């Protein structure tokens, strides 16, 4: 028997509707005492929305509401689930939850509804984690990745790896257990090739940078000398006037951040202070922060004022090594072309060069196209969560250890131990092999009512 939990399933704050959710063995009985529909009597039909009122212990109306019963197993948790849709805001929903607790429910813990869905086998652990991923998605691409995980697409990849590894392990253990009946050559037949293929698939799946960009966004730093047009380009790419633009060098003193969507992926653009030596202490702090932004960026756009002759400082900037890929943008071409693409390519041939006028909005599409090269499509990624990639990397190390041991004729039972450990680790991704501490850690990050 499971106890019955209650919680507000919608976000805090004012809104048109707040949803109070019940789940557990006594959910329907508690619901029938609290919610009184018009023109309907218990037992209520499953999955039918009803209009009525929530009443307190004295029979007074707490709120006008809609109510629905969802009988097991056709519910979010695979238990009996009831929902009461009250008016939005914390007061009405809070009073309804208090009434449900008076009738025998207890307050739900963080993530407890989704935890029950996992424990009751409706979803696996990867799908459970995707619930919060969907809620917290910051871009269309991140949402698609989480929805793919929620539908079981990424779980299928891990389960296929588990199935393949189980098959390889079965042949190896058959020889270990019955050496007189199954010789070593027969046991090892196809094992090395199978491990090689599995290792390659997992290595391809662990794309931390690609997954981070889909989840969080592509970080792009705008850098260059003062008055090169960084803030103007920043505003042009964002499509709004965020940065102050003046003819006075050194206007930008700090890192200004904004974002825009590119093919559904969030691009986080950072407008930085002009890179130059300065006796101004505040401006020098801005320069240091600009360099720090470059260290963290996935790509950089180095702006050069093409309408003025190249100075030694400009030359040094073009030759400066950057910790991330960098393209050169020849800005203000509409005002002259003292610095040409050929001149820049001769100086730094490894860097792509684009001409544009940030002020007029000309030449922006090739810049966007350049940034597209660093994006990943959600459907190309087998794993997107940090935890999954971390555990998959541990499993990968075990597979490599077994593979190396087999090549150097180490005892087969050692390889079997490594393969068993790899199989256990893959199970920690899907939830086939987990402990309470891991579950507590994962679901503690959820909000109450989900």
């Amino acid at each position: 028997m499971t106890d019955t939990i209650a919680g507000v399933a919608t976000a805090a704050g004012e809104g048109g509707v707040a949803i109070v959710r019940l789940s557990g063995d006594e959910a329907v009985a508690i619901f029938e005492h609290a919610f009184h529909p018009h023109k309907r009597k218990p037992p209520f039909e499953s999955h039918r929305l009803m209009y009525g009122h929530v009443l307190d212990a004295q029979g007074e109306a707490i709120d006008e509401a809609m109510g629905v019963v969802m009988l097991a197993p056709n519910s979010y948790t695979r238990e009996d689930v009831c929902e009461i849709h009250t008016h939005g805001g914390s007061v009405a929903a809070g009073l309804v939850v208090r009434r449900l607790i008076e009738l025998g429910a207890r307050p739900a813990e963080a993530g407890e509804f989704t935890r029950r869905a996992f424990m009751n086998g409706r979803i696996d652990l990867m799908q459970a984690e995707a619930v919060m991923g969907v809620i917290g998605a910051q871009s269309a691409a991140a949402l698609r990745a989480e929805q793919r995980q929620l539908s079981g697409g990424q779980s299928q990849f891990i389960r296929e790896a588990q199935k393949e590894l189980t098959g390889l392990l079965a042949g190896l253990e058959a020889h270990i257990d019955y050496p007189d009946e199954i010789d070593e050559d027969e046991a090892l037949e196809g094992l090395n090739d199978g491990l090689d293929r599995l290792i390659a698939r997992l290595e391809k799946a662990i794309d931390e940078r690609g997954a981070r960009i889909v989840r969080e966004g592509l970080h792009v730093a705008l850098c260059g000398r003062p008055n090169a047009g960084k803030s103007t380009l920043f505003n042009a790419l964002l499509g709004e006037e965020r940065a102050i633009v003046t003819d006075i060098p050194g206007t930008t003193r700090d890192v200004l951040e904004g974002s825009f969507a590119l093919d559904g992926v969030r691009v986080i653009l950072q407008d930085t202070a002009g890179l130059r030596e300065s006796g101004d202490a505040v401006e020098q702090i801005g320069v240091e922060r600009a360099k720090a932004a470059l260290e963290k960026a996935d790509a950089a756009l180095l702006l050069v004022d093409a309408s003025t002759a190249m100075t030694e400082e400009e030359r040094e900037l073009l030759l400066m090594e950057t910790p991330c890929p960098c393209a050169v943008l020849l800005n203000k071409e509409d005002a002259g072309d003292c610095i040409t693409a050929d001149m820049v390519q001769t100086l730094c041939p490894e860097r792509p060069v684009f001409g544009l006028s940030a002020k007029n909005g000309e030449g922006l599409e090739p810049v966007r196209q350049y940034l597209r090269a660093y994006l990943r499509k959600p459907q190309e990624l087998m794993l997107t969560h940090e935890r999954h990639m971390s555990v998959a990397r541990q499993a990968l190390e075990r597979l490599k250890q077994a593979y190396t041991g087999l090549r150097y004729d180490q005892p087969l039972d050692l390889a079997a131990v490594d393969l068993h450990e790899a199989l256990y680790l893959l199970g920690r991704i899907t939830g086939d092999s987990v402990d309470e501490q891991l579950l507590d850690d994962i679901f503690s990050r959820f909000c109450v009512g989900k």
Side-chain angles (χ1 to χ4, degrees):
M1 182 174 179
T2 59
D3 54 353
T4 300
I5 56 175
V8 181
T10 44
E14 295 182 0
V17 177
I19 298 175
V20 176
R21 179 180 286 163
L22 275 165
S23 181
D25 291 344
E26 297 299 317
V28 175
I30 292 172
F31 175 84
E32 289 175 353
H33 278 88
F35 181 75
H36 295 261
H38 291 206
K39 301 180 182 180
R40 294 188 183 278
K41 300 292 183 184
F44 299 127
E45 183 183 349
S46 183
H47 291 80
R48 185 182 186 96
L49 196 63
M50 301 172 287
Y51 166 74
H53 286 81
V54 182
L55 304 183
D56 63 17
Q58 288 72 44
E60 296 292 327
I62 295 174
D63 194 18
E64 183 182 29
M66 304 293 287
V68 61
V69 171
M70 291 168 277
L71 297 177
N74 300 314
S75 70
Y76 183 69
T77 62
R78 275 196 177 164
E79 301 172 342
D80 287 345
V81 171
C82 300
E83 288 184 352
I84 298 173
H85 300 191
T86 72
H87 286 95
S90 60
V91 177
L95 290 174
V96 171
V97 170
R98 185 185 303 174
R99 176 60 179 149
L100 299 178
I101 292 171
E102 287 175 0
L103 292 168
R106 70 163 174 81
E109 297 176 0
E112 192 168 3
F113 290 100
T114 303
R115 184 167 183 160
R116 290 191 177 195
F118 165 69
M119 297 300 293
N120 292 329
R122 193 183 72 80
I123 55 176
D124 64 28
L125 196 55
M126 294 183 80
Q127 290 172 299
E129 290 171 281
V131 171
M132 282 307 293
V134 167
I135 294 170
Q138 299 184 33
S139 68
L143 178 61
R144 287 197 297 271
E146 296 297 344
Q147 287 173 334
R148 181 167 174 266
Q149 183 169 313
L150 186 58
S151 66
Q154 295 178 0
S155 299
Q156 184 62 31
F157 168 76
I158 295 297
R159 295 200 183 282
E160 288 173 358
Q162 288 174 302
K163 183 179 179 180
E164 190 172 340
L165 180 53
T166 300
L168 296 173
L169 188 54
L172 182 60
E173 291 194 320
H175 166 70
I176 294 172
D177 293 338
Y178 307 102
D180 295 333
E181 298 176 28
I182 301 173
D183 63 31
E184 186 172 324
D185 290 339
E186 185 180 355
L188 294 179
E189 185 178 358
L191 180 58
N192 284 330
D193 289 342
L195 280 176
D196 197 34
R197 288 192 302 270
L198 191 54
I199 287 169
R201 286 175 59 199
L202 281 177
E203 284 180 331
K204 184 178 180 181
I206 304 171
D207 181 357
E208 291 177 327
R209 182 175 173 277
R212 180 184 55 75
I213 288 171
V214 166
R215 283 195 325 269
E216 303 172 10
L218 178 74
H219 286 78
V220 178
L222 301 180
C223 58
R225 299 275 297 162
N227 257 21
K230 298 183 298 299
S231 296
T232 304
L233 178 61
F234 181 80
N235 290 339
L237 288 172
L238 294 187
E240 59 178 307
E241 297 296 317
R242 284 287 309 281
I244 298 172
V245 178
T246 73
D247 293 330
I248 303 171
T251 302
T252 302
R253 298 294 187 97
D254 204 346
V255 176
L256 185 62
E257 188 172 286
S259 66
F260 65 96
L262 184 62
D263 295 347
V265 178
R266 184 172 176 237
V267 177
I268 302 158
L269 203 59
Q270 294 183 311
D271 180 19
T272 67
L275 297 174
R276 67 172 178 179
E277 294 297 328
S278 173
D280 186 317
V282 176
E283 186 177 356
Q284 193 56 45
I285 292 172
V287 171
E288 292 303 316
R289 291 185 178 179
K291 292 176 180 178
L294 277 171
E295 289 288 340
K296 297 177 181 178
D298 298 303
L301 300 175
L302 173 58
L303 269 76
V304 174
D305 184 350
S307 66
T308 61
M310 186 181 297
T311 63
E312 185 58 33
E313 289 82 2
E314 204 95 62
R315 183 186 180 87
E316 289 177 3
L317 199 59
L318 288 167
L319 292 172
M320 175 185 68
E321 289 188 12
T322 55
C324 61
C326 179
V328 178
L329 308 186
L330 298 180
N331 190 28
K332 306 182 185 180
E333 282 196 332
D334 54 313
D337 58 351
C338 295
I339 302 176
T340 65
D342 288 342
M343 293 168 62
V344 175
Q345 294 265 240
T346 301
L347 196 60
C348 43
E350 75 286 352
R351 286 181 174 167
V353 183
F354 304 98
L356 77 155
S357 171
K359 182 178 180 180
N360 298 334
E362 298 171 0
L364 296 183
E365 188 51 38
V367 177
R368 294 189 186 98
Q369 194 60 36
Y370 168 74
L371 295 178
R372 283 187 177 96
Y374 300 99
L375 306 183
R376 290 292 305 274
K377 296 179 180 179
Q379 60 269 28
E380 295 174 348
L381 297 170
M382 291 297 103
L383 301 172
T384 51
H385 283 218
E386 288 183 22
R387 185 186 78 83
H388 304 158
M389 287 184 284
S390 175
V391 178
R393 192 181 305 105
Q394 295 174 49
L396 181 62
E397 290 306 313
R398 286 293 189 164
L399 293 175
K400 288 181 176 179
Q401 193 167 303
Y403 183 79
T404 302
L406 290 170
R407 290 190 62 188
Y408 288 95
D409 297 324
Q410 291 181 4
L412 297 186
D413 54 350
L414 293 181
V417 169
D418 286 325
L419 297 186
H420 268 294
E421 183 64 20
L423 193 60
Y424 167 79
L425 288 165
L426 292 177
R428 285 181 69 81
I429 298 176
T430 58
D432 296 334
S433 47
V434 291
D435 51 55
E436 286 298 314
Q437 184 175 351
L438 175 62
L439 295 181
D440 289 344
D441 178 58
I442 289 173
F443 289 106
S444 66
R445 304 171 196 170
F446 280 53
C447 44
V448 174
K450 198 60 190 168

